[in-house]
Amino acid sequence: MFSTIKNHRRAFRSLVMATLAVFALTACVQTAHKTTGTLKAGTENRRIVLMPVDIELSVLNAGGVTEPRADWTTAGRGHVRTALAAHTSAFEAEIVLPENNDILDDLDEDQLQIVKLANAVGSSILLHEYLPQMKLPTKNDQFDWTIGPDAKLLKEKYDADYALFVFLRDSYASSGRVAVIIIGAIFGVGLQGGVQAGTATLVDLETGQVVWFNRLARASGDLRNADAAVETIKLLLTEFPT
Amino acid sequence: MIRTRASIGLVASAFVLAACQTTERASYEAPLRQGQVLDPPAAAEKPTDAGPDFGLVNADTIAHDGQYFRFADLSPGERPSPETLEAGLWQSMDRAEQRIRTSGNRVENGELNEYLTEVTCRVAGPHCGDVRVYVMRVPAFNASMAPNGMMQVWTGLLLRTRNEAQLASVLGHEVGHFLRQHSAQRMKSAIEATNFLAFFTVATGGWGGIAGLFAQGRILAYSRDHEREADGYGLLLMNRSGYDPREASRVWKNLIRERDANPEKDDRDPFLATHPAPEERSEILNELGGAVATKMDKTEAGRDRFLEIMLPRRAAWLRDELNQRSFETSSELFDILLEDDPNPAEILFFKGELHRLRGDEGDEQMALDFYTQSLEAAGTPPSDLHRSRGLVHNRRGEAAAARQSFEAYLEASPNASDRLIVEDMIRRLATS
């Protein structure tokens, strides 16, 4: 950096992470929000596109600084993708897995903006539907969220009826952090270890309506491991419409 | 990238605690003194075209005082290996880069971006392919470098630099951050410091406060030394690419003037905790830049080309500057620009706009005076001038003069988007 800066770019992401961390500390029960329990009937082959997973795995160091790990993240992305495909194959829908599952390189500018919007809407849902003090009075207790009719851009791109957006963050306490937690416990101080947190958003690409949303936040799980990733995805996709 | 929002007391303590570092000057010269000492290269590779102090042998080797150093941590095209902290940061920055690339305030003008890429490549040399430049429309003086080579340059910086060499000094500074992977170094240091702090706190049953000040002080001092080292890189890379290194300190001289014009200047700006004082940077860059320049056969400022690219795009940036409503510093900035600007008409118009927007006692007359000066000055004032003049006359109840100005505006820009509104105003003025 060259000169003075006021950076708000990461602020929103941090807020989302902080929200999820609060959930993790309070070990919440899984409750999905949805507008429907079933996918659209009548179509022969309903298609759900699994959008590239936004995922990061990191080490929680002794002093509380989280350090992203590229090798774990790459492995974790593969495990999650496999687990998602396996889990959703049980649904009566065809699953579309885009080839380029890392940074959406094959999307044009407009399609990318829709993905960014979907991520922003997902963050807002997390904030306003799960924290009672952040409830929006104008929603009148209805679960009513949309990314707007331009969702059709993704419908055309993937020839799909629905898009599933998954966001995951997983951190693991280093041995030093574990030691600090243990010593802290002796002195009666509770310190946070690793956290697994994430959200999943299912969007109807015809209307842009969010038809199902769930979040996960807990102090267990391990996405570095293929079997454990299957369990995480099962939990994340609780009450997924069938 | 991450701002330290430390309390004033903490910042002050950090300064005290950081007083035991090396002298500042040595940090500026770090690119020439630190880094791995190498065996002398083969005779064929010995530097030929530069003086004994700044001989560049190849992509990442420099000769200094008869010794050879490696001044880049990464070879051109090299990516950190996957299990390292660097790789983790790069991956998370790759994601951020996609957001920046599609960000609403990114300036995607082909010619401007090509030019910046060209100058960046000239200073980055063999590392040209590792750095990507994004111009962001933000009215403040700044540029930043992410560890993966994503560089952001703000339009407020393009407005304030006056030639290609000054721009190159900033770009060279940022490339220096990349070559030394400063972000990763800082994060490692923060991890070490906070780890120590955690153990110290539990081991002493809660004496973390004092240790916390030490950790904080160490992290901030480290950050300031990185900025100094990056400034040194700016000079080194300017030397390598033939830009006049004396221009680097001129950037800071102007920024100091602008800062001092602010009546509510806050000397406890937390920015100063992570960066050296502008006065220090200006002074040492002046001294070192002069020393480097004497060893160069030819130095170039590149003013004409720079202005040819910037001037046609500048009006929007000047407008952004005014929209911050920081009139004292904007006024000082405009005066600095006027000292050597090829299009003073444009600057004078915006000086008029400043007074029109401020609207204090006497400002209306000042605005009209500057509009008049703008029309008489060299260059071309923006076509909005007559409309602004009409608005001021209208505010003062001078119907005839207002009407005349609005008519002149429509004559100058017959396809103006607000044509209907202005025509309506003319009609009202005619019947009043």
Side-chain angles (χ1 to χ4, degrees), chain A residues 9-217:
Chain A
R9 198 175 308 112
R10 300 168 69 107
F12 194 61
R13 261 294 135 92
S14 312
L15 181 66
V16 173
M17 289 311 298
T19 312
L20 284 167
V22 168
F23 292 134
L25 288 167
T26 52
C28 48
V29 184
Q30 290 301 307
T31 46
H33 281 282
K34 57 192 176 194
T35 60
T36 173
T38 53
L39 298 173
K40 267 184 255 183
T43 44
E44 274 304 293
N45 45 354
R46 297 168 305 188
R47 285 163 56 94
I48 304 174
V49 56
L50 299 180
M51 295 303 288
V53 179
D54 184 338
I55 182 170
E56 185 171 271
L57 274 53
S58 51
V59 187
L60 177 62
N61 283 291
V65 177
T66 49
E67 175 190 331
R69 283 285 300 252
D71 48 351
W72 296 353
T73 301
T74 305
R77 182 181 291 114
H79 297 326
V80 166
R81 189 175 148 96
T82 309
L84 273 171
H87 187 87
T88 49
S89 63
F91 303 146
E92 289 192 17
E94 199 178 330
I95 303 303
V96 186
L97 273 169
E99 265 316 295
N100 194 332
N101 72 326
D102 191 352
I103 52 167
L104 302 148
D105 270 355
D106 60 339
L107 294 190
D108 68 24
E109 174 82 21
D110 292 346
Q111 293 159 342
L112 263 178
Q113 296 295 352
I114 291 298
V115 172
K116 285 168 87 172
L117 178 61
N119 291 337
V121 170
S123 305
S124 300
I125 293 175
L126 184 70
L127 193 60
H128 297 292
E129 293 286 353
Y130 287 90
L131 287 175
Q133 61 272 39
M134 296 299 286
K135 210 158 125 175
L136 296 173
T138 50
K139 291 279 180 204
N140 290 323
D141 292 334
Q142 294 288 307
F143 182 73
D144 178 19
W145 298 83
T146 179
I147 63 168
D150 279 347
K152 282 202 182 70
L153 294 172
L154 295 183
K155 184 183 174 73
E156 289 154 14
K157 164 83 186 170
Y158 297 111
D159 185 26
D161 304 297
Y162 296 95
L164 178 63
F165 295 87
V166 174
F167 170 91
L168 281 163
R169 293 291 180 268
D170 206 354
S171 59
Y172 313 96
S174 66
S175 47
R177 182 67 180 178
V178 172
V180 170
I181 293 171
I182 292 168
I183 301 169
I186 294 168
F187 286 103
V189 183
L191 292 166
Q192 177 70 49
V195 171
Q196 183 174 87
T199 64
T201 314
L202 184 69
V203 176
D204 179 340
L205 293 180
E206 185 60 48
T207 60
Q209 195 72 24
V210 176
V211 293
W212 172 90
F213 180 92
N214 197 14
R215 61 99 175 83
L216 168 81

Side-chain angles (χ1 to χ4, degrees), chain A residues 1 5 56 63 103 113 116, chain B residues 3 95 98 102 195 227:
Chain A
M1 195 165 68
I5 182 171
E56 185 171 271
I103 52 167
Q113 296 295 352
K116 285 168 87 172
Chain B
R3 290 305 311 269
R95 254 202 319 272
Q98 190 194 46
T102 56
N195 285 0
E227 295 304 324

Side-chain angles (χ1 to χ4, degrees), chain B residues 157-193:
Chain B
L157 187 143
L158 299 176
L159 176 63
R160 285 165 175 81
T161 41
R162 302 302 282 151
N163 56 45
E164 202 168 292
Q166 289 184 9
L167 174 66
S169 79
V170 178
L171 300 179
H173 170 109
E174 299 303 336
V175 170
H177 280 316
F178 173 79
L179 294 179
R180 277 278 180 253
Q181 288 289 296
H182 280 153
S183 312
Q185 281 190 44
R186 256 202 299 278
M187 186 153 180
K188 282 177 190 160
S189 162
I191 289 170
E192 282 168 21

